Amino acid sequence: MRRAIVEEHHILSGRYSMSISTMVRKQSPAPEGANAAVVSWVDEIAAITLPDDVVWCDGSAAEWDDLARGMVASGTLTRLNPEHRPYSFLARSDPHDVARVEDRTFICSAKEEDAGPTNNWREPGEMRTTLGRLFYGSMRGRTMYVLPFSMGPLGSPLAKLGVQVTDSPYVVASMGIMTRMGTVALGLFTDATEWVRAVHSVGAPLEDGQQDVAWPCNDTKYITHFPESREIWSFGSAYGGNALLAKKAFALRIASVIARDEGWLAEHMLIIKVTNPRGRVFHVAGAFPSACGKTNLAMMVPTIPGWTVETVGDDIAWLGIGADGRLRAINPEAGFFGVAPGTGFSTNRTAMDTIWGNTIFTNVALRDDGDVWWEGMSDKAPDHLTDWRGYSWTPASGRPAAHPNSRFTVAARQCPSISDDWEDPRGVVIDAIIFGGRRATNVPLVVEARDWEHGVYLGATISSERTAAAEGTLGELRRDPFAMAPFCGYNMADHWAHWLSIGAKLRKTGAVPRMFQVNWFRKAADGRFLWPGFGENSRVLEWMLDRVDGQVPAEESALGLVPRSSDLNLDGLDIADEDIAELFAIDKKSWLAEAESTERFFATFDGRVPASVQRQLAVLRQKLG
Ligand code: OXD
Ligand code: MN
């Protein structure tokens, strides 16, 4: 036993012996011309995880059909009624595998201080030993699928390649939607390619003849990242960001480290294209914590005449300084993994039109007519449903029919508001950056940063009330700098320093995007939302982009620049003057308390917070008087 563990540790340090690869029962050959480094890594992983078979995915529709058919047969997927929801499926997860598990997410950088206080750090050697034990034989009785993929438009200078292996067909089908996966990506690997290695196992090996369950997983979960070697090892979960490793694990945690090293940014941001009535086009990137309405904003239908919003991305942006010296961004993903509850015809018609078919739904409720439903899809719930756990449900049941973190997985190209430049390999030019959180108090509807440094401070101090996208107590206030707290693969204070250095570079080229803070969620003393949100947020976009366009002056406040009362377009909006005043109210006492909490937060970074960010806190206190 001891010997086996030592051997496994060597395997995971890359010093393994090829002889054990003979233990894989059947190994489908790698596609002709596949990159040798990829092939040998796949062999290496198969030698550790010991699957019954290894299948290289080509990303074709035929392959997806076969997987879907297999999963319907095995009970992982239920096919929805094609009359209502063509070629769509429902998955019900294990009830203990329903969200990202942040306390089981680890950054294994060589030095603890490089992970910083917002991450769980583990010493890499120790973690490799643990993983060696867990992954050894973890795919027995299953197929290991090999998924080569591109994050970003194929061949874009801003895109990156990766390979995920997984023993979950649900993950394969989802990654096929969320990334550009298969032969097209594999063909881009050269000997010079630096690619990300991602190993995923549900951690449920099958003995000979053992009956599988619909959603295999393991109560022991590890979502681990080795930033220096650009590796991800994920064990025990098949849900969302825990398992679709291209998304949070690669495109944010590992990519943020690559970005730091290479001089660009990997951020938890939506990207939209906005056109004003004068025909001027802007691109806006926005960072919001999980489940704060990024998908809704990305697909917003403006209520003000003459404005249009088109979608480039709803969750992740990779931003770099282009050859023209301007900040350019791509959406590295190819699909949406959106939160279903709260998405409805009145709140996000575009999302509803996107998921008309060809969609995987996970943990939503099933209607008796074979379609799906969730809280917020329509005002009135159907009289009877099958809930996300498979139990009979009526409105009197007193529990949600869909899990609060239930999801839809759908290709971005199916979105009616997808922008014509969403796959521009050069990226789109970013004119404005917005930071938002879900704050019932204190934070005004909109504030413009005085300059990039102040904007970095606004990003560094984002906080939000906790939602269902990750496990934890709902409603609790959580610091979520740049909306990256669960996603930054390195020390968050260094992330702020990195943002400052990008600003300094942009300033040399003279094209520094404006930065804003927004809060759609401020409440009145009686608990009512003060602002209607959704399409009405276009009024705030109008003010911000008129500022970018030099059309309106702004007023100084202790928090930054705010609209003059006449400049926020409220035409046709039934909102009381007192509510508008409340939306912008700055309560000195509460803000001084917030400044104190910020000081305590900064102190957790052991002196690593950049002086410029500390200075902004001092300026805030001074302005509050
Ligand atoms: C997501 C998240 O799934 O942020 O996008 O949790
Ligand atoms: Mn997200």
Side-chain angles (χ1 to χ4, degrees), residues 100 247-248 268 290 294 315 337 407 469 487:
R100 287 185 289 99
K247 193 173 179 61
K248 304 298 187 179
H268 192 202
S290 302
K294 279 215 303 298
D315 195 39
F337 179 64
R407 300 283 180 147
F487 307 124

Tab-separated table of all heavy atoms in Angstrom, residues 100 247-248 268 290 294 315 337 407 469 487, ligand 1:
chain	number	residue	atom	x	y	z
A	100	ARG	N	-20.760	25.151	-6.957
A	100	ARG	CA	-19.311	25.164	-6.763
A	100	ARG	C	-19.000	25.011	-5.277
A	100	ARG	O	-19.700	25.549	-4.429
A	100	ARG	CB	-18.720	26.491	-7.256
A	100	ARG	CG	-18.688	26.615	-8.763
A	100	ARG	CD	-17.990	27.884	-9.207
A	100	ARG	NE	-18.774	29.064	-8.916
A	100	ARG	CZ	-18.604	29.869	-7.880
A	100	ARG	NH1	-17.611	29.638	-7.019
A	100	ARG	NH2	-19.365	30.922	-7.687
A	247	LYS	N	-14.058	26.557	-17.625
A	247	LYS	CA	-14.736	27.785	-17.220
A	247	LYS	C	-13.985	28.477	-16.067
A	247	LYS	O	-13.038	29.210	-16.292
A	247	LYS	CB	-16.189	27.449	-16.863
A	247	LYS	CG	-17.084	28.647	-16.731
A	247	LYS	CD	-18.536	28.224	-16.551
A	247	LYS	CE	-19.472	29.394	-16.384
A	247	LYS	NZ	-19.538	30.332	-17.495
A	248	LYS	N	-14.403	28.212	-14.835
A	248	LYS	CA	-13.805	28.959	-13.726
A	248	LYS	C	-12.356	28.529	-13.474
A	248	LYS	O	-11.500	29.353	-13.157
A	248	LYS	CB	-14.632	28.741	-12.462
A	248	LYS	CG	-16.090	29.104	-12.616
A	248	LYS	CD	-16.291	30.548	-12.935
A	248	LYS	CE	-17.772	30.905	-12.923
A	248	LYS	NZ	-18.002	32.316	-13.210
A	268	HIS	N	-13.779	38.067	-14.354
A	268	HIS	CA	-15.153	37.564	-14.221
A	268	HIS	C	-16.092	38.677	-14.699
A	268	HIS	O	-16.704	39.365	-13.901
A	268	HIS	CB	-15.391	37.242	-12.729
A	268	HIS	CG	-16.625	36.467	-12.451
A	268	HIS	ND1	-17.232	36.454	-11.208
A	268	HIS	CD2	-17.380	35.666	-13.231
A	268	HIS	CE1	-18.298	35.679	-11.250
A	268	HIS	NE2	-18.406	35.191	-12.468
A	290	SER	N	-21.105	36.388	-8.674
A	290	SER	CA	-22.001	35.352	-9.199
A	290	SER	C	-23.454	35.667	-8.847
A	290	SER	O	-23.747	36.119	-7.737
A	290	SER	CB	-21.650	34.006	-8.574
A	290	SER	OG	-20.311	33.704	-8.855
A	294	LYS	N	-25.485	39.170	-14.251
A	294	LYS	CA	-24.601	39.411	-15.404
A	294	LYS	C	-25.259	38.952	-16.699
A	294	LYS	O	-25.201	39.637	-17.708
A	294	LYS	CB	-23.270	38.670	-15.234
A	294	LYS	CG	-22.293	39.393	-14.350
A	294	LYS	CD	-20.823	39.230	-14.773
A	294	LYS	CE	-20.368	37.796	-14.856
A	294	LYS	NZ	-20.466	37.127	-13.543
A	315	ASP	N	-20.038	36.055	-18.881
A	315	ASP	CA	-19.428	35.609	-17.621
A	315	ASP	C	-17.928	35.895	-17.504
A	315	ASP	O	-17.460	36.224	-16.431
A	315	ASP	CB	-19.681	34.110	-17.443
A	315	ASP	CG	-19.405	33.631	-16.019
A	315	ASP	OD1	-19.731	34.361	-15.068
A	315	ASP	OD2	-18.839	32.536	-15.856
A	337	PHE	N	-23.727	29.186	-19.327
A	337	PHE	CA	-24.121	28.256	-18.263
A	337	PHE	C	-24.854	29.137	-17.257
A	337	PHE	O	-24.311	29.573	-16.260
A	337	PHE	CB	-22.860	27.603	-17.675
A	337	PHE	CG	-23.121	26.631	-16.554
A	337	PHE	CD1	-23.838	25.467	-16.782
A	337	PHE	CD2	-22.639	26.858	-15.282
A	337	PHE	CE1	-24.084	24.565	-15.747
A	337	PHE	CE2	-22.872	25.965	-14.241
A	337	PHE	CZ	-23.599	24.819	-14.476
A	407	ARG	N	-29.503	25.343	-13.709
A	407	ARG	CA	-28.820	26.003	-14.830
A	407	ARG	C	-29.355	25.595	-16.186
A	407	ARG	O	-29.919	24.513	-16.349
A	407	ARG	CB	-27.332	25.610	-14.790
A	407	ARG	CG	-26.596	26.013	-13.520
A	407	ARG	CD	-26.274	27.469	-13.513
A	407	ARG	NE	-25.567	27.876	-12.314
A	407	ARG	CZ	-24.640	28.852	-12.302
A	407	ARG	NH1	-24.325	29.491	-13.408
A	407	ARG	NH2	-24.061	29.191	-11.178
A	469	ALA	N	-25.069	30.554	-5.985
A	469	ALA	CA	-24.145	29.957	-6.958
A	469	ALA	C	-23.036	29.158	-6.280
A	469	ALA	O	-22.441	28.276	-6.864
A	469	ALA	CB	-23.540	31.034	-7.848
A	487	PHE	N	-12.203	33.215	-7.749
A	487	PHE	CA	-11.677	32.870	-9.076
A	487	PHE	C	-10.267	33.365	-9.375
A	487	PHE	O	-9.719	33.060	-10.441
A	487	PHE	CB	-12.615	33.428	-10.159
A	487	PHE	CG	-14.050	33.010	-9.983
A	487	PHE	CD1	-15.069	33.950	-9.891
A	487	PHE	CD2	-14.403	31.672	-9.892
A	487	PHE	CE1	-16.400	33.568	-9.720
A	487	PHE	CE2	-15.725	31.278	-9.721
A	487	PHE	CZ	-16.723	32.235	-9.637
B	1	OXD	C1	-21.044	31.099	-12.560
B	1	OXD	C2	-20.647	31.612	-11.237
B	1	OXD	O1	-21.484	29.949	-12.657
B	1	OXD	O2	-20.119	32.725	-11.179
B	1	OXD	O3	-20.884	31.835	-13.533
B	1	OXD	O4	-20.862	30.927	-10.230
